[in-house]
Amino acid sequence: MRIAQQILADSAVIAVVGASRDPNKAAHGVPLQMQRHGWRIIPVNPSVDELFGERAYKTLADIPHPVDLVNVFRPAADAVQVVRDAATIGAPAVWLQLGIVSAEARRIAEEAGMDYVEDRCLAVERAVNALTRLT
């Protein structure tokens, strides 16, 4: 299993489940910050058509191309299904944001052979490790 830093370094396309159009929420600011540092962000939110200049999708299954990482901004109870969906689309890694912990989601990810991170902020990890995808 890859560590958080390696997952980010290896990922170019991040699907963000629960991405928000509200600029006051972490589910908006974190993906936007990642995009500004070179990652392609694919928003997954059934209530919007576009976020961060990218088409938004209702579900992970609706995304027509592979993703390297599924980032979860949903309550822990919802994370279990999100991880199942991530396994179904063949995502190599799942990342539950700060404050989101689920033993069941972890078990599903491990059984599917996916790398798994929980209770950590994508943007903090990016900053602490000085990671960027910009060339």
Side-chain angles (χ1 to χ4, degrees):
M1 294 303 231
R2 297 175 294 169
I3 62 170
Q5 180 180 356
Q6 192 61 52
I7 293 168
L8 276 181
D10 293 346
S11 298
V13 179
I14 303 172
V16 181
V17 177
S20 176
R21 62 180 150 210
D22 182 347
N24 296 314
K25 290 188 172 184
H28 180 91
V30 169
L32 188 58
Q33 195 62 236
M34 298 304 290
Q35 186 183 58
R36 288 180 177 155
H37 286 277
W39 281 266
R40 180 168 181 210
I41 299 300
I42 307 299
V44 179
N45 180 326
S47 302
V48 297
D49 293 327
E50 184 180 301
L51 271 173
F52 321 117
E54 290 276 354
R55 176 177 173 197
Y57 295 92
K58 293 188 184 316
T59 69
L60 287 172
D62 293 332
I63 301 172
H65 52 77
V67 299
D68 302 311
L69 174 61
V70 173
N71 181 220
V72 182
F73 276 97
R74 300 290 305 144
D78 296 349
V80 172
Q81 187 59 49
V82 174
V83 173
R84 282 189 187 113
D85 294 346
T88 298
I89 68 163
V94 177
W95 188 302
L96 278 56
Q97 276 298 128
L98 193 62
I100 307 170
V101 176
S102 171
E104 179 72 1
R106 176 182 291 278
R107 183 191 62 74
I108 293 164
E110 288 173 353
E111 286 177 2
M114 291 187 291
D115 292 316
Y116 181 86
V117 176
E118 65 182 10
D119 195 24
R120 290 171 85 170
C121 178
L122 214 58
V124 170
E125 290 295 321
R126 186 217 57 77
V128 166
N129 293 293
L131 296 172
T132 185
R133 297 221 42 100
L134 300 174
T135 55

Coordinates of all heavy atoms in Angstrom, one line a residue, residues 10-104:
D10 N 1.4 10.2 -7.4 CA 1.1 9.3 -8.5 C -0.2 9.7 -9.2 O -0.5 9.2 -10.3 CB 1.0 7.8 -8.0 CG 2.3 7.2 -7.6 OD1 3.3 7.8 -7.9 OD2 2.2 6.2 -6.9
S11 N -1.0 10.5 -8.6 CA -2.4 10.8 -9.1 C -2.3 12.1 -9.9 O -1.7 13.1 -9.6 CB -3.3 11.0 -8.0 OG -3.5 9.8 -7.2
A12 N -3.0 12.1 -11.1 CA -3.2 13.3 -11.9 C -4.7 13.7 -11.9 O -5.0 14.9 -12.0 CB -2.7 13.0 -13.3
V13 N -5.6 12.7 -11.9 CA -7.0 13.0 -12.0 C -7.7 12.6 -10.7 O -7.6 11.4 -10.3 CB -7.6 12.2 -13.2 CG1 -9.1 12.5 -13.2 CG2 -7.0 12.6 -14.5
I14 N -8.3 13.5 -10.0 CA -9.0 13.3 -8.7 C -10.5 13.5 -8.9 O -10.9 14.6 -9.2 CB -8.4 14.2 -7.6 CG1 -6.9 14.0 -7.5 CG2 -9.1 13.9 -6.3 CD1 -6.2 15.0 -6.5
A15 N -11.3 12.5 -8.6 CA -12.7 12.7 -8.6 C -13.1 13.0 -7.1 O -12.7 12.4 -6.2 CB -13.4 11.4 -9.0
V16 N -13.8 14.1 -7.0 CA -14.2 14.6 -5.7 C -15.7 14.4 -5.4 O -16.5 15.2 -6.0 CB -13.8 16.1 -5.5 CG1 -14.2 16.6 -4.1 CG2 -12.3 16.3 -5.8
V17 N -16.0 13.4 -4.6 CA -17.4 13.1 -4.3 C -17.8 14.0 -3.2 O -17.2 14.0 -2.1 CB -17.5 11.6 -3.9 CG1 -19.0 11.3 -3.5 CG2 -17.1 10.7 -5.1
G18 N -18.9 14.8 -3.5 CA -19.4 15.7 -2.5 C -18.8 17.1 -2.7 O -18.9 18.0 -1.8
A19 N -18.1 17.4 -3.8 CA -17.6 18.7 -4.1 C -18.7 19.7 -4.0 O -19.9 19.5 -4.4 CB -17.0 18.7 -5.5
S20 N -18.4 20.8 -3.4 CA -19.5 21.9 -3.2 C -19.3 23.1 -4.0 O -18.1 23.5 -4.2 CB -19.4 22.2 -1.7 OG -20.4 23.2 -1.4
R21 N -20.4 23.7 -4.3 CA -20.3 25.0 -5.0 C -20.2 26.2 -4.0 O -20.0 27.3 -4.4 CB -21.5 25.2 -5.9 CG -22.8 25.2 -5.2 CD -24.0 25.4 -6.2 NE -25.1 24.8 -5.6 CZ -26.1 24.2 -6.4 NH1 -26.0 24.3 -7.7 NH2 -27.1 23.6 -5.8
D22 N -20.3 25.9 -2.7 CA -20.3 26.9 -1.7 C -18.8 27.2 -1.3 O -18.1 26.4 -0.8 CB -21.0 26.4 -0.4 CG -21.0 27.4 0.7 OD1 -20.3 28.4 0.7 OD2 -21.8 27.2 1.7
P23 N -18.3 28.4 -1.7 CA -16.9 28.7 -1.5 C -16.5 28.8 0.0 O -15.3 28.8 0.3 CB -16.8 30.1 -2.1 CG -18.1 30.7 -2.2 CD -19.1 29.5 -2.3
N24 N -17.5 28.7 0.9 CA -17.1 28.7 2.3 C -16.9 27.3 2.9 O -16.6 27.2 4.1 CB -18.3 29.4 3.1 CG -18.4 30.9 2.8 OD1 -17.4 31.6 2.7 ND2 -19.6 31.3 2.5
K25 N -17.1 26.3 2.1 CA -16.9 24.9 2.5 C -15.6 24.4 2.1 O -15.1 24.7 1.0 CB -18.1 24.1 2.0 CG -19.4 24.4 2.6 CD -20.4 23.3 2.2 CE -21.7 23.5 3.0 NZ -22.7 22.5 2.6
A26 N -15.1 23.5 2.9 CA -13.8 22.8 2.6 C -14.0 22.0 1.3 O -13.1 21.9 0.5 CB -13.4 21.9 3.7
A27 N -15.2 21.5 1.1 CA -15.5 20.7 -0.1 C -15.4 21.5 -1.4 O -15.6 21.0 -2.5 CB -16.8 20.0 0.0
H28 N -15.3 22.8 -1.3 CA -15.0 23.7 -2.4 C -13.6 24.1 -2.4 O -12.9 24.0 -3.5 CB -16.0 24.9 -2.3 CG -15.8 25.9 -3.5 ND1 -16.5 25.8 -4.6 CD2 -14.9 26.9 -3.7 CE1 -16.1 26.7 -5.5 NE2 -15.2 27.4 -4.9
G29 N -13.1 24.6 -1.3 CA -11.8 25.2 -1.2 C -10.6 24.2 -1.4 O -9.7 24.5 -2.1
V30 N -10.8 23.0 -0.9 CA -9.7 22.0 -1.0 C -9.6 21.5 -2.5 O -8.5 21.6 -3.0 CB -10.0 20.8 -0.1 CG1 -9.0 19.6 -0.4 CG2 -9.8 21.2 1.4
P31 N -10.7 21.1 -3.2 CA -10.5 20.8 -4.6 C -10.0 21.9 -5.4 O -9.1 21.7 -6.3 CB -11.9 20.3 -5.0 CG -12.7 20.1 -3.8 CD -12.0 20.9 -2.7
L32 N -10.4 23.1 -5.2 CA -9.9 24.3 -5.9 C -8.5 24.5 -5.7 O -7.7 24.7 -6.7 CB -10.7 25.5 -5.5 CG -10.5 26.8 -6.3 CD1 -10.8 26.5 -7.8 CD2 -11.3 27.9 -5.8
Q33 N -8.0 24.3 -4.5 CA -6.6 24.4 -4.2 C -5.8 23.3 -4.9 O -4.7 23.6 -5.5 CB -6.4 24.3 -2.7 CG -5.0 24.7 -2.2 CD -4.8 26.2 -2.5 OE1 -3.8 26.5 -3.1 NE2 -5.6 27.1 -2.0
M34 N -6.3 22.1 -4.9 CA -5.6 21.0 -5.7 C -5.5 21.4 -7.2 O -4.5 21.1 -7.8 CB -6.3 19.7 -5.4 CG -6.3 19.3 -4.0 SD -4.6 19.2 -3.2 CE -4.0 17.7 -4.1
Q35 N -6.6 21.9 -7.7 CA -6.7 22.2 -9.1 C -5.6 23.3 -9.4 O -4.9 23.2 -10.4 CB -8.1 22.7 -9.5 CG -8.2 23.0 -11.0 CD -9.6 23.5 -11.3 OE1 -10.0 24.5 -10.8 NE2 -10.3 22.8 -12.1
R36 N -5.5 24.3 -8.6 CA -4.5 25.4 -8.8 C -3.1 24.9 -8.7 O -2.2 25.5 -9.3 CB -4.7 26.4 -7.7 CG -6.0 27.3 -7.9 CD -6.2 28.3 -6.8 NE -7.3 29.1 -7.1 CZ -8.0 29.7 -6.1 NH1 -7.6 29.7 -4.9 NH2 -9.1 30.4 -6.5
H37 N -2.9 23.7 -8.1 CA -1.5 23.2 -8.1 C -1.3 22.1 -9.1 O -0.4 21.3 -9.1 CB -1.2 22.7 -6.7 CG -0.9 23.8 -5.7 ND1 0.3 24.4 -5.6 CD2 -1.8 24.5 -4.9 CE1 0.2 25.4 -4.8 NE2 -1.0 25.4 -4.3
G38 N -2.3 22.0 -10.1 CA -2.0 21.1 -11.2 C -2.8 19.8 -11.4 O -2.7 19.2 -12.4
W39 N -3.6 19.4 -10.3 CA -4.4 18.2 -10.4 C -5.6 18.5 -11.2 O -6.2 19.6 -11.1 CB -4.7 17.7 -9.1 CG -3.6 16.9 -8.4 CD1 -3.4 15.6 -8.5 CD2 -2.6 17.5 -7.6 NE1 -2.3 15.2 -7.8 CE2 -1.8 16.4 -7.2 CE3 -2.2 18.7 -7.2 CZ2 -0.6 16.6 -6.4 CZ3 -1.1 18.9 -6.4 CH2 -0.3 17.8 -6.0
R40 N -6.1 17.5 -12.0 CA -7.4 17.7 -12.7 C -8.4 17.2 -11.7 O -8.4 16.1 -11.2 CB -7.5 16.8 -14.0 CG -8.8 17.0 -14.6 CD -8.9 16.5 -16.0 NE -10.2 16.7 -16.5 CZ -10.8 15.9 -17.4 NH1 -10.2 14.9 -17.9 NH2 -12.1 16.2 -17.8
I41 N -9.4 18.1 -11.4 CA -10.4 17.8 -10.4 C -11.7 17.5 -11.2 O -12.2 18.3 -12.0 CB -10.6 19.0 -9.5 CG1 -9.4 19.3 -8.7 CG2 -11.8 18.7 -8.6 CD1 -8.9 18.1 -7.8
I42 N -12.3 16.3 -10.9 CA -13.6 15.9 -11.5 C -14.6 16.0 -10.4 O -14.6 15.1 -9.5 CB -13.5 14.5 -12.1 CG1 -12.4 14.4 -13.1 CG2 -14.9 14.2 -12.8 CD1 -12.4 15.3 -14.3
P43 N -15.5 17.0 -10.4 CA -16.5 17.1 -9.3 C -17.6 16.0 -9.5 O -18.1 15.8 -10.6 CB -17.1 18.5 -9.5 CG -16.6 19.0 -10.8 CD -15.6 18.1 -11.3
V44 N -18.0 15.4 -8.4 CA -19.1 14.4 -8.4 C -20.1 15.0 -7.4 O -19.9 15.0 -6.2 CB -18.7 13.0 -7.9 CG1 -19.9 12.1 -7.9 CG2 -17.6 12.5 -8.9
N45 N -21.2 15.6 -8.0 CA -22.3 16.2 -7.2 C -23.5 16.2 -8.0 O -23.5 16.8 -9.1 CB -21.9 17.6 -6.8 CG -22.9 18.4 -6.0 OD1 -24.1 18.2 -6.2 ND2 -22.4 19.3 -5.2
P46 N -24.6 15.5 -7.6 CA -25.8 15.4 -8.4 C -26.6 16.7 -8.6 O -27.5 16.8 -9.4 CB -26.6 14.4 -7.7 CG -26.1 14.4 -6.3 CD -24.7 14.8 -6.4
S47 N -26.2 17.8 -7.8 CA -26.9 19.0 -7.8 C -26.4 20.1 -8.7 O -27.0 21.2 -8.8 CB -27.0 19.6 -6.4 OG -27.6 18.6 -5.6
V48 N -25.2 19.9 -9.4 CA -24.6 20.9 -10.2 C -24.2 20.3 -11.5 O -24.0 19.1 -11.6 CB -23.4 21.5 -9.5 CG1 -23.8 22.3 -8.2 CG2 -22.3 20.5 -9.2
D49 N -24.1 21.1 -12.5 CA -23.6 20.7 -13.9 C -22.1 20.9 -14.1 O -21.5 20.3 -14.9 CB -24.4 21.4 -15.0 CG -25.9 21.1 -15.0 OD1 -26.2 19.9 -14.7 OD2 -26.7 22.0 -15.3
E50 N -21.6 21.9 -13.4 CA -20.2 22.3 -13.5 C -19.7 22.9 -12.2 O -20.4 23.6 -11.5 CB -20.1 23.3 -14.7 CG -18.6 23.7 -15.0 CD -18.5 24.7 -16.1 OE1 -19.0 24.3 -17.2 OE2 -18.0 25.8 -15.9
L51 N -18.4 22.6 -11.9 CA -17.7 23.2 -10.8 C -16.2 23.3 -11.2 O -15.7 22.4 -11.9 CB -17.8 22.3 -9.6 CG -19.0 22.5 -8.6 CD1 -18.9 21.4 -7.6 CD2 -18.9 23.8 -8.0
F52 N -15.6 24.3 -10.8 CA -14.1 24.5 -11.0 C -13.8 24.4 -12.5 O -12.7 24.0 -12.9 CB -13.3 23.4 -10.3 CG -13.8 23.0 -8.9 CD1 -14.2 21.8 -8.6 CD2 -13.8 24.0 -7.9 CE1 -14.7 21.4 -7.4 CE2 -14.3 23.7 -6.6 CZ -14.8 22.4 -6.4
G53 N -14.8 24.8 -13.3 CA -14.5 24.8 -14.8 C -14.6 23.4 -15.4 O -14.2 23.3 -16.6
E54 N -15.0 22.4 -14.7 CA -15.1 21.1 -15.1 C -16.5 20.6 -15.1 O -17.3 21.0 -14.2 CB -14.3 20.1 -14.2 CG -12.8 20.3 -14.3 CD -12.2 19.5 -15.5 OE1 -12.9 18.7 -16.2 OE2 -11.0 19.6 -15.7
R55 N -16.9 19.7 -16.0 CA -18.2 19.1 -16.0 C -18.4 18.3 -14.7 O -17.4 17.6 -14.3 CB -18.4 18.2 -17.1 CG -19.7 17.5 -17.1 CD -20.0 16.6 -18.3 NE -21.2 15.9 -18.0 CZ -21.6 14.8 -18.7 NH1 -20.9 14.4 -19.7 NH2 -22.7 14.2 -18.4
A56 N -19.5 18.5 -14.0 CA -19.8 17.7 -12.8 C -20.6 16.5 -13.2 O -21.4 16.5 -14.1 CB -20.5 18.5 -11.8
Y57 N -20.4 15.4 -12.5 CA -21.1 14.1 -12.7 C -21.9 13.8 -11.5 O -21.6 14.1 -10.4 CB -20.1 13.0 -13.0 CG -19.3 13.3 -14.3 CD1 -18.1 13.9 -14.3 CD2 -19.9 12.8 -15.5 CE1 -17.5 14.2 -15.5 CE2 -19.2 13.1 -16.7 CZ -18.0 13.8 -16.7 OH -17.4 14.1 -17.9
K58 N -23.0 13.1 -11.8 CA -23.9 12.7 -10.7 C -23.4 11.6 -9.8 O -23.6 11.5 -8.6 CB -25.3 12.3 -11.3 CG -26.0 13.4 -11.9 CD -27.4 13.0 -12.3 CE -28.2 14.1 -13.0 NZ -28.0 15.5 -12.5
T59 N -22.6 10.7 -10.4 CA -22.0 9.5 -9.7 C -20.7 9.2 -10.3 O -20.3 9.7 -11.4 CB -22.9 8.2 -9.9 OG1 -22.8 7.8 -11.2 CG2 -24.3 8.5 -9.5
L60 N -19.9 8.5 -9.5 CA -18.6 8.0 -10.1 C -18.7 7.2 -11.3 O -17.9 7.4 -12.3 CB -17.8 7.2 -9.0 CG -17.3 7.9 -7.8 CD1 -16.8 7.0 -6.8 CD2 -16.2 8.9 -8.2
A61 N -19.8 6.4 -11.4 CA -20.0 5.6 -12.6 C -20.2 6.4 -13.8 O -20.0 5.9 -15.0 CB -21.1 4.6 -12.3
D62 N -20.7 7.6 -13.7 CA -20.9 8.5 -14.9 C -19.7 9.1 -15.5 O -19.7 9.6 -16.6 CB -21.9 9.6 -14.4 CG -23.3 9.1 -14.1 OD1 -23.7 8.1 -14.6 OD2 -23.9 9.8 -13.2
I63 N -18.6 9.1 -14.8 CA -17.3 9.6 -15.3 C -16.8 8.8 -16.4 O -16.6 7.6 -16.2 CB -16.3 9.8 -14.2 CG1 -16.8 10.7 -13.1 CG2 -15.0 10.3 -14.8 CD1 -15.9 10.7 -11.8
P64 N -16.7 9.3 -17.6 CA -16.3 8.5 -18.8 C -14.9 8.1 -19.0 O -14.5 7.6 -20.0 CB -16.8 9.4 -20.0 CG -16.6 10.8 -19.5 CD -16.9 10.7 -18.0
H65 N -14.1 8.4 -18.0 CA -12.6 8.1 -18.1 C -12.1 7.7 -16.8 O -12.7 7.9 -15.7 CB -11.9 9.3 -18.7 CG -12.1 10.6 -17.9 ND1 -11.6 10.9 -16.7 CD2 -12.9 11.6 -18.2 CE1 -12.0 12.0 -16.3 NE2 -12.8 12.5 -17.2
P66 N -10.9 7.1 -16.7 CA -10.4 6.6 -15.5 C -10.0 7.8 -14.5 O -9.7 8.9 -15.0 CB -9.1 5.9 -15.9 CG -9.2 5.6 -17.3 CD -10.1 6.6 -17.9
V67 N -10.1 7.5 -13.2 CA -9.6 8.5 -12.3 C -8.5 7.8 -11.4 O -8.5 6.6 -11.3 CB -10.7 9.0 -11.4 CG1 -11.8 9.8 -12.2 CG2 -11.4 7.9 -10.5
D68 N -7.6 8.6 -10.9 CA -6.5 8.0 -10.2 C -6.8 8.0 -8.7 O -6.2 7.2 -7.9 CB -5.2 8.9 -10.4 CG -4.8 9.0 -11.8 OD1 -4.7 8.0 -12.5 OD2 -4.6 10.1 -12.3
L69 N -7.7 8.8 -8.2 CA -8.0 8.9 -6.8 C -9.4 9.4 -6.6 O -9.8 10.3 -7.4 CB -7.0 10.0 -6.2 CG -7.2 10.3 -4.7 CD1 -7.1 9.1 -3.8 CD2 -6.2 11.4 -4.3
V70 N -10.1 8.8 -5.7 CA -11.5 9.3 -5.3 C -11.3 9.9 -4.0 O -11.0 9.3 -3.0 CB -12.5 8.1 -5.3 CG1 -13.8 8.6 -4.8 CG2 -12.6 7.6 -6.7
N71 N -11.6 11.2 -3.9 CA -11.5 12.0 -2.7 C -13.0 12.2 -2.2 O -13.9 12.6 -2.9 CB -10.9 13.4 -3.0 CG -10.8 14.3 -1.8 OD1 -11.0 15.5 -1.9 ND2 -10.3 13.8 -0.7
V72 N -13.2 11.9 -0.9 CA -14.5 11.9 -0.3 C -14.8 13.0 0.7 O -14.1 13.1 1.7 CB -14.8 10.5 0.3 CG1 -16.2 10.4 0.8 CG2 -14.5 9.3 -0.6
F73 N -15.8 13.8 0.3 CA -16.3 14.9 1.2 C -17.7 14.5 1.5 O -18.7 15.3 1.3 CB -16.3 16.2 0.5 CG -15.0 16.9 0.6 CD1 -14.1 16.8 -0.5 CD2 -14.6 17.7 1.7 CE1 -12.9 17.5 -0.4 CE2 -13.4 18.4 1.7 CZ -12.5 18.3 0.7
R74 N -18.0 13.4 2.1 CA -19.3 12.9 2.5 C -19.2 12.4 3.9 O -18.1 11.9 4.3 CB -19.8 11.8 1.5 CG -20.0 12.3 0.1 CD -21.1 13.3 -0.1 NE -22.4 12.7 0.4 CZ -23.3 13.5 1.0 NH1 -23.2 14.8 1.1 NH2 -24.4 12.9 1.4
P75 N -20.3 12.3 4.6 CA -20.3 11.7 6.0 C -19.8 10.3 6.0 O -19.9 9.6 5.0 CB -21.7 11.8 6.5 CG -22.4 12.9 5.6 CD -21.6 12.8 4.3
A76 N -19.2 9.9 7.1 CA -18.7 8.5 7.2 C -19.7 7.4 6.8 O -19.3 6.5 6.1 CB -18.2 8.2 8.6
A77 N -21.0 7.6 7.1 CA -22.0 6.7 6.7 C -22.1 6.5 5.2 O -22.4 5.4 4.7 CB -23.3 7.0 7.4
D78 N -21.9 7.6 4.5 CA -22.0 7.6 3.0 C -20.7 7.1 2.4 O -20.7 6.6 1.3 CB -22.3 9.0 2.5 CG -23.6 9.6 2.9 OD1 -24.5 8.8 3.5 OD2 -23.8 10.8 2.7
A79 N -19.6 7.2 3.1 CA -18.3 6.8 2.6 C -18.3 5.3 2.2 O -17.6 4.9 1.2 CB -17.2 7.1 3.6
V80 N -19.0 4.5 2.9 CA -19.0 3.0 2.6 C -19.5 2.8 1.1 O -18.8 2.1 0.4 CB -19.9 2.3 3.6 CG1 -20.1 0.8 3.1 CG2 -19.3 2.4 5.0
Q81 N -20.6 3.4 0.7 CA -21.1 3.3 -0.6 C -20.1 3.9 -1.6 O -19.9 3.4 -2.7 CB -22.5 3.8 -0.8 CG -23.1 3.5 -2.2 CD -23.1 2.0 -2.5 OE1 -23.6 1.2 -1.6 NE2 -22.6 1.6 -3.6
V82 N -19.6 5.1 -1.3 CA -18.6 5.7 -2.2 C -17.4 4.8 -2.4 O -17.0 4.7 -3.6 CB -18.2 7.1 -1.6 CG1 -17.1 7.7 -2.5 CG2 -19.3 8.1 -1.5
V83 N -16.9 4.2 -1.4 CA -15.8 3.3 -1.6 C -16.2 2.1 -2.5 O -15.4 1.6 -3.3 CB -15.2 2.8 -0.3 CG1 -14.1 1.8 -0.4 CG2 -14.6 4.0 0.5
R84 N -17.4 1.5 -2.3 CA -17.9 0.5 -3.1 C -17.9 0.9 -4.6 O -17.5 0.2 -5.5 CB -19.3 0.0 -2.7 CG -19.3 -0.9 -1.5 CD -20.7 -1.4 -1.3 NE -20.8 -2.1 0.0 CZ -21.5 -1.7 1.0 NH1 -22.2 -0.7 1.0 NH2 -21.5 -2.5 2.1
D85 N -18.4 2.1 -4.8 CA -18.5 2.7 -6.1 C -17.1 2.9 -6.7 O -16.9 2.7 -7.9 CB -19.3 4.0 -6.1 CG -20.7 3.9 -5.8 OD1 -21.3 2.7 -5.8 OD2 -21.4 4.9 -5.4
A86 N -16.2 3.4 -5.9 CA -14.8 3.6 -6.4 C -14.2 2.2 -6.8 O -13.5 2.2 -7.8 CB -14.0 4.2 -5.3
A87 N -14.5 1.2 -6.1 CA -14.0 -0.2 -6.4 C -14.6 -0.6 -7.7 O -13.9 -1.1 -8.6 CB -14.3 -1.2 -5.3
T88 N -15.9 -0.3 -7.9 CA -16.5 -0.7 -9.2 C -15.9 -0.1 -10.4 O -15.8 -0.7 -11.4 CB -18.1 -0.4 -9.1 OG1 -18.6 -1.1 -8.0 CG2 -18.8 -0.7 -10.3
I89 N -15.5 1.2 -10.3 CA -14.9 1.9 -11.4 C -13.4 1.6 -11.6 O -12.8 2.1 -12.5 CB -15.2 3.4 -11.4 CG1 -14.5 4.1 -10.3 CG2 -16.7 3.7 -11.4 CD1 -14.4 5.6 -10.5
G90 N -12.9 0.9 -10.6 CA -11.5 0.5 -10.7 C -10.5 1.6 -10.3 O -9.3 1.6 -10.7
A91 N -11.0 2.5 -9.4 CA -10.1 3.5 -8.9 C -9.0 2.9 -8.0 O -9.3 2.0 -7.2 CB -10.9 4.5 -8.0
P92 N -7.7 3.3 -8.2 CA -6.7 2.6 -7.4 C -6.6 3.1 -6.0 O -5.9 2.5 -5.2 CB -5.4 3.0 -8.2 CG -5.8 4.2 -9.0 CD -7.2 4.1 -9.3
A93 N -7.2 4.3 -5.7 CA -7.1 4.8 -4.3 C -8.3 5.6 -3.9 O -9.0 6.2 -4.8 CB -5.8 5.7 -4.3
V94 N -8.5 5.6 -2.6 CA -9.6 6.4 -2.0 C -9.1 7.2 -0.9 O -8.3 6.7 -0.1 CB -10.8 5.5 -1.5 CG1 -11.9 6.3 -0.9 CG2 -11.3 4.7 -2.6
W95 N -9.6 8.5 -0.7 CA -9.1 9.4 0.3 C -10.3 10.0 1.0 O -11.0 10.8 0.4 CB -8.2 10.4 -0.3 CG -7.5 11.3 0.6 CD1 -8.0 12.1 1.6 CD2 -6.0 11.5 0.6 NE1 -7.0 12.8 2.2 CE2 -5.8 12.5 1.6 CE3 -5.0 11.0 -0.1 CZ2 -4.5 12.9 1.9 CZ3 -3.7 11.4 0.1 CH2 -3.5 12.4 1.2
L96 N -10.5 9.7 2.3 CA -11.5 10.3 3.1 C -11.0 11.5 3.8 O -9.9 11.4 4.4 CB -12.1 9.3 4.1 CG -13.2 8.3 3.6 CD1 -12.7 7.5 2.4 CD2 -13.6 7.5 4.8
Q97 N -11.6 12.7 3.6 CA -11.1 13.9 4.1 C -11.1 13.9 5.6 O -11.6 13.1 6.3 CB -12.0 15.1 3.6 CG -11.6 15.6 2.2 CD -10.2 16.1 2.1 OE1 -9.5 15.7 1.2 NE2 -9.9 17.1 3.0
L98 N -10.5 15.0 6.1 CA -10.3 15.2 7.6 C -11.6 15.1 8.3 O -12.6 15.6 7.9 CB -9.7 16.6 7.8 CG -9.2 16.9 9.2 CD1 -8.0 16.0 9.5 CD2 -8.7 18.4 9.2
G99 N -11.6 14.3 9.3 CA -12.8 14.1 10.1 C -13.7 12.9 9.7 O -14.7 12.6 10.3
I100 N -13.3 12.3 8.6 CA -14.1 11.1 8.0 C -13.4 9.8 8.3 O -12.3 9.7 7.7 CB -14.5 11.3 6.5 CG1 -15.1 12.7 6.3 CG2 -15.4 10.2 6.1 CD1 -15.2 13.1 4.9
V101 N -14.0 9.0 9.1 CA -13.4 7.7 9.4 C -14.4 6.6 9.3 O -15.5 6.8 9.7 CB -12.8 7.7 10.9 CG1 -12.2 6.4 11.3 CG2 -11.8 8.8 11.0
S102 N -14.0 5.5 8.7 CA -15.0 4.4 8.5 C -14.2 3.0 8.4 O -13.6 2.8 7.4 CB -15.8 4.6 7.3 OG -16.6 3.4 7.0
A103 N -14.4 2.2 9.4 CA -13.7 0.9 9.4 C -14.3 0.1 8.3 O -13.6 -0.7 7.6 CB -13.9 0.2 10.7
E104 N -15.6 0.2 8.0 CA -16.2 -0.6 6.9 C -15.7 -0.1 5.5 O -15.4 -1.0 4.7 CB -17.7 -0.4 7.0 CG -18.5 -1.2 5.9 CD -18.5 -2.7 6.0 OE1 -17.9 -3.2 7.0 OE2 -19.1 -3.3 5.1

